[in-house]
Amino acid sequence: ETGVTQSPTHLIKTRGQQVTLRCSSQSGHNTVSWYQQALGQGPQFIFQYYREEENGRGNFPPRFSGLQFPNYSSELNVNALELDDSALYLCASSDPAGESDTQYFGPGTRLTVL
Amino acid sequence: AQKITQTQPGMFVQEKEAVTLDCTYDTSDPSYGLFWYKQPSSGEMIFLIYQGSYDQQNATEGRYSLNFQKARKSANLVISASQLGDSAMYFCAMRPGAAGGTSYGKLTFGQGTILTVHP
């Protein structure tokens, strides 16, 4: 069984640029959630995709957008990067029909905005 | 709105000893799920244990057990027989609604507790 994978591992961008982060869900999972984790903090929910539709969004501006594909992989796009966007971005996949709806996380993408 | 509070920024334990990491939560949802995750320095968030709000018994997974006290809104993680590899950041998290329900599975995390295991 393949776990959640994310790419790239690390990324350095400059303020004002755009970035796309990618996530492949675990086999059998149709839901992907994205989180932002600033240094020393707990992860903050960005949004969730269920069967290619956005299924909830946290307190993040519209320049954070996403997409889910028919194979349930997902992308997180951030436009007009700001210095405060520097963080670890975590993707998690889950099966809401499962007994616990546990979210399994990928290794994360560490984004640095200069 | 959900809130998770972890009041211990750091904890130290001797190898082979047991340790309890505290977690209290606040929610108005009648049903919810509680989770503990481990985050080593590599950054990956590793699922440890789950407790549903209607589960009668405390959850256990190997050396991990969850001390669930619903009336006190606490969900403490107990790690028995600590190992050096247990040194990491530990997060308590909550999901609103029951599994399989229509509520989206947003996880609300606490601030985390750094556990250091001494040899």
Side-chain angles (χ1 to χ4, degrees):
Chain A
E1 185 178 274
T2 306
V4 180
T5 60
Q6 292 185 243
S7 63
T9 305
H10 295 87
L11 206 50
I12 299 175
K13 292 284 187 178
T14 55
R15 196 170 47 182
Q17 285 189 310
Q18 178 265 343
V19 69
T20 297
L21 310 182
R22 294 177 175 84
C23 171
S24 291
S25 60
Q26 185 170 311
S27 176
H29 288 179
N30 55 21
T31 301
V32 170
S33 305
W34 286 91
Y35 294 83
Q36 180 195 66
Q37 186 178 20
L39 202 60
Q41 305 289 320
Q44 298 291 315
F45 175 75
I46 303 175
F47 44 55
Q48 182 181 83
Y49 279 85
Y50 170 67
R51 293 186 175 181
E52 303 179 59
E53 298 283 334
E54 188 179 287
N55 186 41
R57 187 180 183 91
N59 190 24
F60 280 81
R63 61 189 184 84
F64 285 78
S65 63
L67 202 57
Q68 188 178 31
F69 299 99
N71 66 354
Y72 303 131
S73 66
S74 177
E75 287 183 354
L76 164 64
N77 299 291
V78 187
N79 294 321
L81 283 167
E82 300 178 359
L83 297 179
D84 284 348
D85 295 334
S86 293
L88 178 67
Y89 288 84
L90 293 163
C91 161
S93 76
S94 58
D95 173 14
E99 182 180 334
S100 64
D101 191 15
T102 296
Q103 295 187 18
Y104 295 90
F105 285 80
T109 294
R110 196 166 295 278
L111 173 65
T112 302
V113 181
L114 302 176
Chain B
Q2 295 81 38
K3 185 177 180 181
I4 295 284
T5 302
Q6 295 180 252
T7 56
Q8 307 154 315
M11 288 287 286
F12 296 89
V13 66
Q14 208 69 26
E15 193 178 10
K16 299 179 185 178
E17 299 285 311
V19 63
T20 298
L21 306 183
D22 294 342
C23 172
T24 58
Y25 61 91
D26 191 21
T27 182
S28 56
D29 290 300
S31 61
Y32 46 88
L34 294 159
F35 302 81
W36 277 91
Y37 288 87
K38 170 185 177 182
Q39 188 175 42
S41 56
S42 60
E44 183 170 359
M45 197 74 76
I46 301 167
F47 165 69
L48 296 178
I49 196 166
Y50 163 80
Q51 179 86 42
S53 58
Y54 289 116
D55 293 344
Q56 296 295 315
Q57 292 190 314
N58 287 341
T60 60
E61 286 286 350
R63 294 187 298 111
Y64 304 107
S65 60
L66 201 153
N67 184 1
F68 180 47
Q69 297 188 45
K70 193 170 183 177
R72 299 177 65 177
K73 293 190 174 180
S74 74
N76 298 339
L77 176 70
V78 180
I79 305 175
S80 63
S82 296
Q83 301 172 356
L84 296 178
D86 293 335
S87 293
M89 177 75 91
Y90 288 80
F91 288 99
C92 180
M94 178 166 59
R95 181 213 64 233
T102 56
S103 296
Y104 68 89
K106 164 190 172 180
L107 287 177
T108 299
F109 287 83
Q111 291 291 91
T113 296
I114 300 175
L115 176 66
T116 304
V117 181
H118 289 302

